[in-house]
Amino acid sequence: MENSGKQPDPAAQASTPRRQRRWRALKWGLTGAAVAVLGVILLGVAVYRSQPDRNARDAVAAVMQNEYGAYSDENEGWLYRDERATFVMHVLSETQVDLDGTPRLLLGVAGQVLGDDVELLGTIQYRYFVVDMRGKNAETLQYWSTSGSIRNPLPVQRVEVSLFRPGKGLYGWQLDYDYGEGSEESAQLSSRDLFVLDAKRERIVYSGALPLRFDNSGICKQSLPEASRPVTPETEAGASMVVAANEPDEAPEPATPCERKTVSYTLKPQPGSLVDALVAQAEVEESGARRTVVGLVRFDPHSFKLRMPASISGLFNGAD
């Protein structure tokens, strides 16, 4: 009996496994892509949760805009005007830290007078901000700050602000500045002012000033003893004329002793205290003689005020 049923198509039979393989490949490809996308999302969430809610750059811009107005492209800074003059303020230090489980942005801002008012060239305006980095960007930025000024009789040549950590969990700022006439023929001085953040009381304490450098080698006059002065024929022949020319009551110009003094400071933990001390090491050169002086600068654990040792402060009394 003749089989009239439809015979299977060999080509169709061969294509069925290929479709299954393609489908399996597509399915695994889609699954892999979904896993990759999920991984990226989870990574983004982890990064987001590990970072403060606010963007640091936006926070800095918002704080400075709120306090000083728009940035001045012409003066490359923010302008602060008081009753005496206008100062150009710059953000010189910005650091994100964790204070008692709260992300904070610590800003150190300082500026000098705009213009050439001689009486104000030695003045530094400073301000320090503690910014709460929690919350959404659309919410009002919360922060607190302190401000003040440092006045020197000589023009300030350089200003730097950096983070300062005087102990575990403690933060603050150190403001370094050089002052003097700014030439090789003048005395050169450097100083450092310290500020400690008292987070529990939401205040910033001015701890005090540390001397860094005094160098008058550009203006000192070192007199040679009379016996050590070289005698030349011209000097010998004109000795009587010199004696006759000098009046008895004329005194020789007093010599200015040459002095170079530099001090470095190293933090040293103090047993039983949350505040470290500073080991001060001064390298002193006076009239050609060299010596090293070491002292311990302590902080009052409650007020954070500096306690300078006499061995160090005595080197600079009257130097500026």
Side-chain angles (χ1 to χ4, degrees):
M1 183 175 177
E2 186 177 350
N3 185 2
S4 59
K6 187 176 181 180
Q7 296 297 320
D9 185 354
Q13 288 181 333
S15 64
T16 299
R18 285 200 295 270
R19 289 198 198 97
Q20 292 175 346
R21 287 195 297 270
R22 289 173 183 171
W23 170 246
R24 283 197 297 268
L26 179 61
K27 181 174 66 175
W28 283 111
L30 292 173
T31 302
V35 171
V37 171
L38 180 61
V40 171
I41 293 174
L42 292 176
L43 179 61
V45 171
V47 171
Y48 175 80
R49 290 181 176 178
S50 67
Q51 299 294 326
D53 291 339
R54 300 187 186 278
N55 178 276
R57 181 180 298 177
D58 294 342
V60 171
V63 169
M64 298 301 286
Q65 170 78 27
N66 189 55
E67 293 296 327
Y68 301 110
Y71 180 86
S72 171
D73 291 322
E74 179 183 357
N75 298 290
E76 299 181 341
W78 288 266
L79 301 183
Y80 166 67
R81 298 175 177 86
D82 66 4
E83 67 280 1
R84 299 171 298 161
T86 299
F87 296 82
V88 183
M89 310 299 290
H90 300 94
V91 178
L92 300 180
S93 175
E94 54 178 283
T95 308
Q96 294 189 62
V97 301
D98 186 272
L99 291 178
D100 299 326
T102 301
R104 308 277 184 150
L105 179 65
L106 306 183
L107 297 180
V109 179
Q112 294 176 255
V113 68
L114 177 64
D116 55 1
D117 188 334
V118 176
E119 294 185 358
L120 295 175
L121 292 180
T123 302
I124 304 170
Q125 292 285 351
Y126 62 81
R127 191 157 189 181
Y128 303 104
F129 295 92
V130 181
V131 185
D132 190 344
M133 297 296 283
R134 297 174 301 180
K136 301 301 180 183
N137 288 330
E139 296 178 358
T140 302
L141 199 65
Q142 301 294 323
Y143 61 89
W144 46 277
S145 67
T146 189
S147 62
S149 62
I150 299 170
R151 300 181 186 181
N152 295 284
L154 297 172
V156 172
Q157 307 298 332
R158 176 189 64 94
V159 179
E160 291 184 1
V161 178
S162 57
L163 190 70
F164 173 62
R165 298 202 61 181
K168 185 177 180 180
L170 293 176
Y171 296 91
W173 297 266
Q174 57 185 32
L175 189 156
D176 290 6
Y177 51 96
D178 301 336
Y179 56 107
E181 296 299 335
S183 67
E184 295 182 356
E185 292 77 28
S186 63
Q188 306 296 318
L189 303 96
S190 300
S191 188
R192 172 178 295 164
D193 283 43
L194 296 182
F195 302 81
V196 176
L197 169 59
D198 186 352
K200 292 183 179 180
R201 302 180 187 178
E202 289 197 348
R203 63 173 185 158
I204 297 167
V205 177
Y206 170 63
S207 299
L210 298 173
L212 295 179
R213 179 178 65 131
F214 175 80
D215 185 349
N216 73 343
S217 57
I219 60 172
C220 67
K221 296 177 181 179
Q222 199 66 32
S223 295
L224 292 172
E226 191 71 28
S228 64
R229 291 179 181 173
V231 178
T232 64
E234 292 79 11
T235 305
E236 208 169 83
S240 59
M241 296 173 59
V242 172
V243 172
N246 287 332
E247 296 294 332
D249 57 348
E250 284 186 359
E253 184 180 348
T256 301
C258 290
E259 298 177 275
R260 291 189 183 93
K261 305 170 186 178
T262 58
V263 191
S264 60
Y265 299 90
T266 306
L267 284 167
K268 180 181 180 181
Q270 297 296 288
S273 177
L274 296 177
V275 190
D276 297 342
L278 293 167
V279 178
Q281 180 170 316
E283 302 298 332
V284 181
E285 182 178 349
E286 295 175 307
S287 302
R290 298 183 180 183
R291 59 193 173 103
T292 299
V293 180
V294 178
L296 194 65
V297 183
R298 299 182 184 273
F299 289 86
D300 183 282
H302 303 290
S303 67
F304 297 116
K305 295 293 185 179
L306 289 176
R307 298 173 178 172
M308 288 292 295
S311 58
I312 300 298
S313 61
L315 295 174
F316 293 86
N317 286 342
D320 54 359

